[in-house]
Structures are given as structure tokens and as C-alpha cells.
């Protein structure tokens, strides 16, 4: 008995048998598994967004409170990685599968600003003008991104849109629940 779960994948329908999740030939098999993985991660909204918010708070702490060194660099890099991963996951579950400046722009800006901060403020550049300028810009980029995460966290998904689709697409019977309380 194998512990690997077999599920039919988009790429497997042509030959009529099931494929092992995450296994297959080449990048197309992994590409088929990415939306499922992204949906599984993003459906756990509270822990996921709390982790995203926590990495941003830690990056702010590192930039303003920690001395220049490995710890501050690692926390800023962690925040940049977390924001980039969030963009990839959200694009993977989107219907169009494309980048949208309105939905992903603030996180792209954050990743760019954090990477520039890492480059400008490492080593001897920590006292330079570009580092000081970026240290004035980084808090605003982080706070804008935090605002987006907070809006996603506080959004009511009880009967509306989720990463799994609308209630009707999921097969939830909303009308039966309305008359159940009488």
C-alpha cells in the first residue's frame, strides 16, 4: 500500500489514467500541482496571513532596532522571500493566472525595495546615502503591504469568494440554511 495519493491531473486526462500528485514528467506535472498547493496554503487564511504579517513586522524591527549584521540581513531577506512567495501563490490560484498590478503591485514594490535595501545596506554601504534613503522608504512599502494583508485577513468569506470559488461553485446550499433557523 502506497502512501502517495493518486489524483487525476489536467495533463493526465489524455491517456485516461490517474497520475501521482507531484510526480510526472518534467515541469508540466509540477505546474499542475502548484495551483492545488497554493489553494491549500491560501485556504488556511489566518495562520498564513499571520505569518506574512509577522515577517513584515520582523523586517521593520530588524531595519530599525538591530545592528547591521547577519540577523538583520536574514530577517529582511525572509520578508522579501515571503512576499515573493505570496505573489506566486496568489497568481497560481487566480482565474487568469496572470500578474495584476492592482492585486500584486504593493507586494512587488515591497520585494523590490527590500532587495535594494539588502544590496545598498550590506557591508560598507550601510552608512551611504542610498542606504539611508531606502531606510526611509522601506517602512512605507511594508506598511502598504501590511494593509493589504490586513484587508485579506478581515475579509468575510462566509458566503462569498474564497480561493475555492463562490458558494454556488463549491456546491454549498445557502438557501437551505436561510430557512433552517425558523
Amino acid at each position: 500500500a502506497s502512501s502517495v495519493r493518486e489524483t487525476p491531473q489536467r495533463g493526465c486526462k489524455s491517456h485516461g489514467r490517474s497520475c501521482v500528485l507531484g510526480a510526472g514528467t518534467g515541469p508540466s506535472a509540477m505546474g499542475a500541482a502548484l495551483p492545488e498547493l497554493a489553494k491549500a496554503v491560501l485556504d488556511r487564511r489566518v495562520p498564513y496571513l499571520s505569518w506574512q504579517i509577522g515577517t513584515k513586522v520582523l523586517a521593520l524591527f530588524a531595519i530599525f532596532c538591530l545592528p547591521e549584521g547577519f540577523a538583520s540581513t536574514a530577517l529582511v531577506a525572509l520578508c522579501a522571500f515571503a512576499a515573493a512567495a505570496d505573489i506566486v501563490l496568489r497568481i497560481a490560484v487566480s482565474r487568469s493566472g496572470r500578474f495584476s498590478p492592482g492585486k500584486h503591485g504593493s507586494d512587488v514594490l515591497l520585494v523590490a525595495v527590500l532587495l535594494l535595501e539588502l544590496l545598498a545596506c550590506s557591508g560598507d554601504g550601510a552608512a551611504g546615502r542610498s542606504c539611508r534613503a531606502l531606510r526611509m522608504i522601506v517602512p512605507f512599502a511594508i506598511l502598504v503591504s501590511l494593509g493589504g494583508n490586513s484587508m485579506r485577513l478581515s475579509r468575510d468569506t462566509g458566503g462569498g469568494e474564497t480561493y475555492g470559488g463562490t458558494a454556488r461553485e463549491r456546491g454549498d446550499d445557502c438557501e437551505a440554511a436561510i430557512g433552517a433557523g425558523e
Side-chain angles (χ1 to χ4, degrees), residues 29-49:
M30 288 306 287
L34 181 61
E36 291 178 16
L37 173 68
K39 184 184 174 311
V41 170
L42 293 173
D43 277 347
R44 287 156 184 77
R45 188 175 55 166
V46 173
Y48 174 73
L49 289 173

Side-chain angles (χ1 to χ4, degrees), residues 48-102:
Y48 174 73
L49 289 173
S50 298
W51 176 75
Q52 284 287 328
I53 290 169
T55 61
K56 291 169 184 158
V57 170
L58 286 173
L60 276 176
F61 175 76
I63 289 170
F64 290 112
C65 298
L66 292 179
E68 194 62 39
F70 177 75
S72 65
T73 302
L75 290 174
V76 172
L78 175 68
C79 181
F81 173 76
D86 186 42
I87 295 166
V88 170
L89 291 175
R90 288 170 37 213
I91 290 173
V93 298
S94 71
R95 288 186 185 130
S96 67
R98 295 183 186 160
F99 171 76
S100 170

Side-chain angles (χ1 to χ4, degrees), residues 129-148:
R129 292 178 66 171
S130 59
C131 179
R132 288 194 312 264
L134 280 167
R135 295 250 166 116
M136 291 172 44
I137 295 171
V138 167
F140 295 105
I142 289 177
L143 290 174
V144 168
S145 183
L146 277 172

